[in-house]
Amino acid sequence: MAESVSLQSFSGEQARAIRSTIADVQARSYVDAIATGSPFESTEAFMDRFEIYSAIPGFSLILATIDNEPAGQAFGWPLAADTAWWTGLVLDPGQPALAEFVAEDGNRTFALSELMVAKTLTGRGIASALYQRLLAECPEQRVTWLVNPTNEAYAIYRHWGARRVGTLQPTWDGAPRFDVLIVDLPLAISSDS
């Protein structure tokens, strides 16, 4: 990274206090997705989801800035025993039984809900810094996230050790079918990530 990237941690309550920054980063990161006109991809729909997510116990957000300007963000939370996260999961062949795979207790799985970098700033290691910082102190056994199979960052996630375990279509209106990725924690961090 040529620029000096600063990373700052926020709880759910603290993150809700900077809503406009959260929305701005999403709008500058998901330019192409928003341009599709899909209601699911709109900043308004994203912020509706953010309001719900940021109220979940254990929610954590990392904000990246360059020269005090927001450059990216990542957030997630530990999955509780009564989580709806896995609703609609279709596991790939060779995975454990569904009931075993989705059994949560609040300490097993960290759900990485969003990892985004402003489109004009991609390719500079900011996403890797966000990912590593968010997950650095997670006590959970694994991290999971949902990725559109056409996402340009998919290869990077594979490079980080993510493996696809199945597919899932969230219950949000207009949500696409995503690949479900898993990485075991703690992270095995390489210097070239």
Side-chain angles (χ1 to χ4, degrees):
M1 277 182 287
E3 303 93 349
S4 176
V5 176
S6 297
L7 302 174
Q8 186 176 1
S9 300
F10 294 83
S11 67
E13 182 178 347
Q14 293 167 332
R16 286 189 299 279
I18 59 164
R19 284 176 184 87
S20 60
T21 299
I22 304 298
D24 175 64
V25 172
Q26 186 269 349
R28 292 185 301 115
S29 300
Y30 289 172
V31 173
D32 295 336
I34 293 168
T36 67
S38 166
F40 179 80
E41 302 294 354
S42 72
T43 299
E44 295 77 16
F46 170 82
M47 290 307 294
D48 288 346
R49 295 188 299 271
F50 168 78
E51 289 296 325
I52 293 167
Y53 297 154
S54 62
I56 295 172
F59 176 93
S60 180
L61 179 138
I62 305 297
L63 178 68
T65 59
I66 297 174
D67 297 329
N68 294 318
E69 289 297 319
Q73 60 197 5
F75 61 78
W77 57 87
L79 295 179
D82 63 349
T83 186
W85 178 273
W86 298 118
T87 302
L89 173 65
V90 176
L91 287 171
D92 290 338
Q95 297 301 323
L98 184 63
E100 176 187 341
F101 187 87
V102 302
E104 298 295 347
D105 60 8
N107 298 304
R108 183 179 188 203
T109 308
F110 186 86
L112 173 58
S113 180
E114 294 290 341
L115 174 59
M116 62 184 75
V117 174
K119 185 175 180 177
T120 59
L121 299 172
T122 60
R124 300 178 188 195
I126 299 169
S128 179
L130 285 164
Y131 175 76
Q132 291 178 29
R133 174 73 178 272
L134 182 65
L135 302 175
E137 297 181 18
C138 282
E140 290 80 19
Q141 300 169 26
R142 62 188 185 176
V143 59
T144 188
W145 67 104
L146 308 179
V147 179
N148 188 317
T150 63
N151 186 323
E152 292 177 8
Y154 205 113
I156 294 167
Y157 302 151
R158 299 294 296 228
H159 176 74
W160 292 347
R163 64 188 186 280
R164 180 190 136 137
V165 295
T167 62
L168 189 149
Q169 184 165 4
T171 56
W172 293 103
D173 286 343
R177 177 163 297 282
F178 292 104
D179 282 0
V180 179
L181 301 183
I182 294 279
V183 170
D184 295 327
L185 294 175
L187 293 177
I189 311 255
S190 70
S191 60
D192 65 343
S193 291

